[in-house]
Amino acid sequence: MLDYLATDYAGAVKDGAVISTSEYAEMREFTATARSRIAALPPTVATPALLQQADTLVASVEAKATPAQVATQAHALADALLQAYPVPTAPERAPDLARGATLYQNQCAACHGATGHGDGPAGLLLSPRPVNFTDQTRADQRSALSLYEVISQGVAGTPMASYAQQLSSDDRWALAYYVGSLAYAKEAVAGADTWQHDTAARAQIADLKELSRARVAQLTPTLGAERARTIVGYLRAHPDVIQQQALAGIPLARARLAASLTAYRAGAKTQATQLALSAYLDGVEPVEPQLNARDSALRAQLETSMGAYRSALSGNTPVESVVKQADAIDGLLVRAQEVTADAASDAAAIFLGAFTILVREGLEALLVVVALLAFLRKAARPEALRYVHAGWILALVAGGITWAIASYAISISGAGRELTEGLSSLFAAFVLLGVGLWMHQKSIGGRWQAYLKEKMAAALNRRSAWFLFGLAFISVYREVFESILFYAALWNDGQEVWLLSGIAAGAAVLGLIAWVLLRTSRRLPIGTFFSASSALIAVLAIVLTGKGIAALQEAGWVAVSVAPVPHIELLGIYPTWQSLLAQLAILVLLAVGFVFNIRRGRQRLPSPPTTREVLPDAD
């Protein structure tokens, strides 16, 4: 519906006046129906924004806005829907255009005509008349995905029926690509040379997913209408070349950086920002494991610089300033390309990368799990240990499932990876904030004694036990999720033995750290244990807050304002004001909570007795 609205609205309204009453009535019906269907979808965090976009679109149609404005809003809402409710948006393999041509003649030519002009003998009797697939103005607004959806679902209120039962998914994709190429037959002839030598054009489309969603109107601000038609026409007629010759890694990042600058100069700020975000998520992030192993400082500098560049694109920054930033980033990318050029053949780099990834990502989760286990042992609640163990074990299983899904079922986008990491980090940080304040409260004025006596007298309630399970699960899964994706990238470098050796060495180090921490915690006086645990968990909450904000910045959800501080990833310190202010807010909450606990503890309970008077060693 949104696609038809973006395409057909121009036939209903011109210069603020209705030129076709029936078409305009259909456009109003489509916007109202789309809005009601969005409202009926299962709610997500994106639902309010989607409904607001839908309301804006309805208002634009009611106000008889320009076709360009309505098309932009309709396509933006469609893209937002695909992000909120992910569905497969591309074929599993390059479509067979010869098969598509045969299917068209057998299934479509009677209505749409043998050459796609909408003049088939059966079509002349239909109302509304079949679409003219050779109309470039109309075709410029269509993607292969939108054509596939029309073939699959049909269009309510028109003679266009669904072919989901008659044709397989591969056949529907073949038909969609063939139909989508009819408007650009002439342009596609020169497309091979353009695709081979035009880096800016190749930067726009990196895989079948992007090709399936590409529209000429979307590419025009960067490439111009003729170049966009040439590229789209050629690739739709020869989709197999996208898998053979597409840019990837740092070359893709450099090309998309240049394309974003071109789009910004043309006044297309939204597209410029999207291309800049893709430059990092689709170009740099896939090679982060190799880059981290060779030059982690360069990776951190790239991350911060590209985030600041996106923020500049989102504002009204002068073009000259944006050009300087882009040139500086391109220089960093050139260095990154040199650094990663031979990383795949360097066994030491693969081993070191695998080792540091596991130790770095696993240490935070390990500290949380160890703190929970040590606490339960001190509280003499061995029956609750199974909830914590179940949490971290299931997190590992879920990580394996995530890897399988990411590898074989769907492609997790760079933005999806960062959003998952960022939101789970912030969630864990808030939970740890509460746990840290609670543990500190029990360490003040002998309150740990009263708490332990209470727990000795009554079993840990089910809600508390499931809370421990949830905290263990989310703390481990967020680290496993990122590690799995890093290892999936390193696995493709052909150094599996060194990769597995690095993982094994990292696991051994983590096991040793866990053993030392658990042994140490058993010997600590109970009051000291609570105090130390609360301090540790408070630090982890601050670290995860910084990492969560940084991940959301990489995903484009949070702006980036560079701050003059060092980048210390182990402590979650990033050189941006947004992450630092978020950490400062957590620090203030902790300080206020600790002061409040101390004052209440002094008022309520006498000084605690020695550890031996309260509870023998839980083990």
Side-chain angles (χ1 to χ4, degrees), residues 431-443:
V431 172
L432 289 174
L433 174 65
V435 172
L437 291 174
W438 174 83
M439 279 192 166
H440 181 260
Q441 181 189 56
K442 302 306 177 189
S443 71

PDB file of all heavy atoms in Angstrom, residues 431-443:
ATOM      1  N   VAL A 431      20.004  -2.744  36.047  1.00  0.00           N
ATOM      2  CA  VAL A 431      19.796  -3.817  37.026  1.00  0.00           C
ATOM      3  C   VAL A 431      20.945  -3.828  38.040  1.00  0.00           C
ATOM      4  O   VAL A 431      20.735  -3.941  39.254  1.00  0.00           O
ATOM      5  CB  VAL A 431      19.674  -5.176  36.315  1.00  0.00           C
ATOM      6  CG1 VAL A 431      19.661  -6.311  37.332  1.00  0.00           C
ATOM      7  CG2 VAL A 431      18.401  -5.224  35.468  1.00  0.00           C
ATOM      8  N   LEU A 432      22.172  -3.723  37.530  1.00  0.00           N
ATOM      9  CA  LEU A 432      23.333  -3.724  38.420  1.00  0.00           C
ATOM     10  C   LEU A 432      23.340  -2.509  39.338  1.00  0.00           C
ATOM     11  O   LEU A 432      23.818  -2.580  40.476  1.00  0.00           O
ATOM     12  CB  LEU A 432      24.620  -3.770  37.595  1.00  0.00           C
ATOM     13  CG  LEU A 432      24.911  -5.100  36.884  1.00  0.00           C
ATOM     14  CD1 LEU A 432      26.124  -4.959  35.980  1.00  0.00           C
ATOM     15  CD2 LEU A 432      25.119  -6.219  37.886  1.00  0.00           C
ATOM     16  N   LEU A 433      22.822  -1.400  38.851  1.00  0.00           N
ATOM     17  CA  LEU A 433      22.712  -0.220  39.701  1.00  0.00           C
ATOM     18  C   LEU A 433      21.869  -0.526  40.941  1.00  0.00           C
ATOM     19  O   LEU A 433      22.257  -0.223  42.073  1.00  0.00           O
ATOM     20  CB  LEU A 433      22.089   0.931  38.906  1.00  0.00           C
ATOM     21  CG  LEU A 433      21.764   2.211  39.693  1.00  0.00           C
ATOM     22  CD1 LEU A 433      23.041   2.855  40.208  1.00  0.00           C
ATOM     23  CD2 LEU A 433      20.983   3.184  38.811  1.00  0.00           C
ATOM     24  N   GLY A 434      20.719  -1.169  40.702  1.00  0.00           N
ATOM     25  CA  GLY A 434      19.864  -1.543  41.826  1.00  0.00           C
ATOM     26  C   GLY A 434      20.513  -2.566  42.735  1.00  0.00           C
ATOM     27  O   GLY A 434      20.451  -2.455  43.967  1.00  0.00           O
ATOM     28  N   VAL A 435      21.175  -3.563  42.139  1.00  0.00           N
ATOM     29  CA  VAL A 435      21.831  -4.602  42.944  1.00  0.00           C
ATOM     30  C   VAL A 435      22.968  -4.004  43.764  1.00  0.00           C
ATOM     31  O   VAL A 435      23.151  -4.336  44.949  1.00  0.00           O
ATOM     32  CB  VAL A 435      22.362  -5.725  42.028  1.00  0.00           C
ATOM     33  CG1 VAL A 435      23.211  -6.708  42.818  1.00  0.00           C
ATOM     34  CG2 VAL A 435      21.198  -6.450  41.356  1.00  0.00           C
ATOM     35  N   GLY A 436      23.759  -3.104  43.151  1.00  0.00           N
ATOM     36  CA  GLY A 436      24.866  -2.491  43.875  1.00  0.00           C
ATOM     37  C   GLY A 436      24.402  -1.677  45.071  1.00  0.00           C
ATOM     38  O   GLY A 436      24.985  -1.760  46.164  1.00  0.00           O
ATOM     39  N   LEU A 437      23.327  -0.898  44.896  1.00  0.00           N
ATOM     40  CA  LEU A 437      22.791  -0.113  46.006  1.00  0.00           C
ATOM     41  C   LEU A 437      22.243  -1.024  47.104  1.00  0.00           C
ATOM     42  O   LEU A 437      22.404  -0.759  48.300  1.00  0.00           O
ATOM     43  CB  LEU A 437      21.705   0.833  45.496  1.00  0.00           C
ATOM     44  CG  LEU A 437      22.181   1.980  44.603  1.00  0.00           C
ATOM     45  CD1 LEU A 437      20.997   2.749  44.043  1.00  0.00           C
ATOM     46  CD2 LEU A 437      23.108   2.914  45.368  1.00  0.00           C
ATOM     47  N   TRP A 438      21.599  -2.112  46.683  1.00  0.00           N
ATOM     48  CA  TRP A 438      21.042  -3.056  47.659  1.00  0.00           C
ATOM     49  C   TRP A 438      22.141  -3.723  48.472  1.00  0.00           C
ATOM     50  O   TRP A 438      22.059  -3.824  49.698  1.00  0.00           O
ATOM     51  CB  TRP A 438      20.202  -4.090  46.902  1.00  0.00           C
ATOM     52  CG  TRP A 438      19.688  -5.184  47.760  1.00  0.00           C
ATOM     53  CD1 TRP A 438      18.571  -5.176  48.539  1.00  0.00           C
ATOM     54  CD2 TRP A 438      20.265  -6.490  47.902  1.00  0.00           C
ATOM     55  NE1 TRP A 438      18.419  -6.390  49.158  1.00  0.00           N
ATOM     56  CE2 TRP A 438      19.436  -7.206  48.786  1.00  0.00           C
ATOM     57  CE3 TRP A 438      21.386  -7.106  47.362  1.00  0.00           C
ATOM     58  CZ2 TRP A 438      19.709  -8.520  49.143  1.00  0.00           C
ATOM     59  CZ3 TRP A 438      21.663  -8.408  47.714  1.00  0.00           C
ATOM     60  CH2 TRP A 438      20.826  -9.105  48.603  1.00  0.00           C
ATOM     61  N   MET A 439      23.201  -4.176  47.798  1.00  0.00           N
ATOM     62  CA  MET A 439      24.305  -4.819  48.523  1.00  0.00           C
ATOM     63  C   MET A 439      24.982  -3.837  49.466  1.00  0.00           C
ATOM     64  O   MET A 439      25.374  -4.196  50.588  1.00  0.00           O
ATOM     65  CB  MET A 439      25.317  -5.396  47.534  1.00  0.00           C
ATOM     66  CG  MET A 439      24.912  -6.738  46.956  1.00  0.00           C
ATOM     67  SD  MET A 439      26.286  -7.538  46.088  1.00  0.00           S
ATOM     68  CE  MET A 439      25.644  -9.207  45.933  1.00  0.00           C
ATOM     69  N   HIS A 440      25.133  -2.597  49.011  1.00  0.00           N
ATOM     70  CA  HIS A 440      25.747  -1.599  49.879  1.00  0.00           C
ATOM     71  C   HIS A 440      24.880  -1.355  51.114  1.00  0.00           C
ATOM     72  O   HIS A 440      25.399  -1.188  52.222  1.00  0.00           O
ATOM     73  CB  HIS A 440      25.950  -0.291  49.109  1.00  0.00           C
ATOM     74  CG  HIS A 440      26.609   0.779  49.920  1.00  0.00           C
ATOM     75  ND1 HIS A 440      25.904   1.806  50.518  1.00  0.00           N
ATOM     76  CD2 HIS A 440      27.921   0.975  50.250  1.00  0.00           C
ATOM     77  CE1 HIS A 440      26.738   2.586  51.169  1.00  0.00           C
ATOM     78  NE2 HIS A 440      27.972   2.118  51.018  1.00  0.00           N
ATOM     79  N   GLN A 441      23.578  -1.347  50.926  1.00  0.00           N
ATOM     80  CA  GLN A 441      22.662  -1.161  52.053  1.00  0.00           C
ATOM     81  C   GLN A 441      22.856  -2.259  53.093  1.00  0.00           C
ATOM     82  O   GLN A 441      22.876  -2.005  54.297  1.00  0.00           O
ATOM     83  CB  GLN A 441      21.221  -1.157  51.552  1.00  0.00           C
ATOM     84  CG  GLN A 441      20.179  -0.942  52.629  1.00  0.00           C
ATOM     85  CD  GLN A 441      18.784  -1.174  52.105  1.00  0.00           C
ATOM     86  OE1 GLN A 441      18.488  -2.252  51.579  1.00  0.00           O
ATOM     87  NE2 GLN A 441      17.934  -0.176  52.232  1.00  0.00           N
ATOM     88  N   LYS A 442      23.038  -3.513  52.624  1.00  0.00           N
ATOM     89  CA  LYS A 442      23.190  -4.631  53.558  1.00  0.00           C
ATOM     90  C   LYS A 442      24.547  -4.616  54.267  1.00  0.00           C
ATOM     91  O   LYS A 442      24.730  -5.279  55.289  1.00  0.00           O
ATOM     92  CB  LYS A 442      23.035  -5.973  52.817  1.00  0.00           C
ATOM     93  CG  LYS A 442      21.701  -6.125  52.099  1.00  0.00           C
ATOM     94  CD  LYS A 442      20.524  -5.905  53.007  1.00  0.00           C
ATOM     95  CE  LYS A 442      19.216  -5.980  52.256  1.00  0.00           C
ATOM     96  NZ  LYS A 442      18.063  -5.552  53.077  1.00  0.00           N
ATOM     97  N   SER A 443      25.506  -3.875  53.732  1.00  0.00           N
ATOM     98  CA  SER A 443      26.840  -3.841  54.337  1.00  0.00           C
ATOM     99  C   SER A 443      26.962  -2.768  55.403  1.00  0.00           C
ATOM    100  O   SER A 443      27.993  -2.668  56.069  1.00  0.00           O
ATOM    101  CB  SER A 443      27.897  -3.594  53.255  1.00  0.00           C
ATOM    102  OG  SER A 443      27.823  -2.252  52.777  1.00  0.00           O
TER     103      SER A 443
END
